[in-house]
Amino acid sequence: MYPIYATYMSNKIVSTKKRIIEIKRELQNIGPMRPGKLSQQMRKNTKGDEYGSYWQMSYTYKMKSKTLYIPEELTIAVQAQNKEYKRFKILMEEWIDLALLLAQIELEEEK
């Protein structure tokens, strides 16, 4: 292996491992979370006229779809939980990408 390439690869390993450690720290700070989509729905009477609204949270977990009624006063808390869940998913996806990259680099170094 060429010295410049080896240095580049070892720097890449170090920076990848550092980012994984940062991700683990960020994951420790994740607060309450919940998956899904919060949406405002309109009520209709038997004639089809709209006369009010309500909030619902829809999500799928373990291949089962759920829909929950969310009281108006809890929508801000539910939105914050949903934001935390999205942050969790992004961090986990990045961690997996970096772990795969690290495994590939280490495999190439062994050649």
Side-chain angles (χ1 to χ4, degrees), residues 4-98:
I4 294 173
Y5 181 74
T7 303
Y8 167 78
M9 294 307 275
S10 62
N11 288 342
K12 188 76 171 166
I13 289 171
V14 169
S15 65
T16 302
K17 286 182 177 181
K18 280 183 182 177
R19 180 59 189 144
I20 289 172
I21 290 168
E22 290 171 11
I23 290 170
K24 288 178 182 180
R25 275 195 213 115
E26 289 181 51
L27 285 169
Q28 289 176 333
N29 295 324
I30 294 283
M33 61 180 173
R34 105 175 27 218
K37 180 170 173 51
L38 183 65
S39 61
Q40 191 172 23
Q41 304 294 316
M42 297 303 293
R43 288 189 171 96
K44 293 182 182 181
N45 62 19
T46 55
K47 295 178 184 177
D49 300 325
E50 295 178 351
Y51 68 92
S53 65
Y54 62 96
W55 290 90
Q56 75 177 28
M57 172 65 94
S58 301
Y59 66 96
T60 302
Y61 180 68
K62 292 188 177 180
M63 306 217 11
K64 291 186 180 180
S65 180
K66 304 253 186 195
T67 301
L68 304 171
Y69 167 76
I70 304 294
E72 179 83 30
E73 61 272 9
L74 296 180
T75 56
I76 292 173
V78 169
Q79 286 172 336
Q81 291 170 351
N82 190 249
K83 186 177 177 180
E84 283 294 282
Y85 181 75
K86 288 176 183 176
R87 185 170 156 241
F88 167 77
K89 293 290 282 184
I90 289 168
L91 288 171
M92 288 303 298
E93 187 173 324
E94 185 181 358
W95 186 1
I96 291 167
D97 290 343
L98 292 171

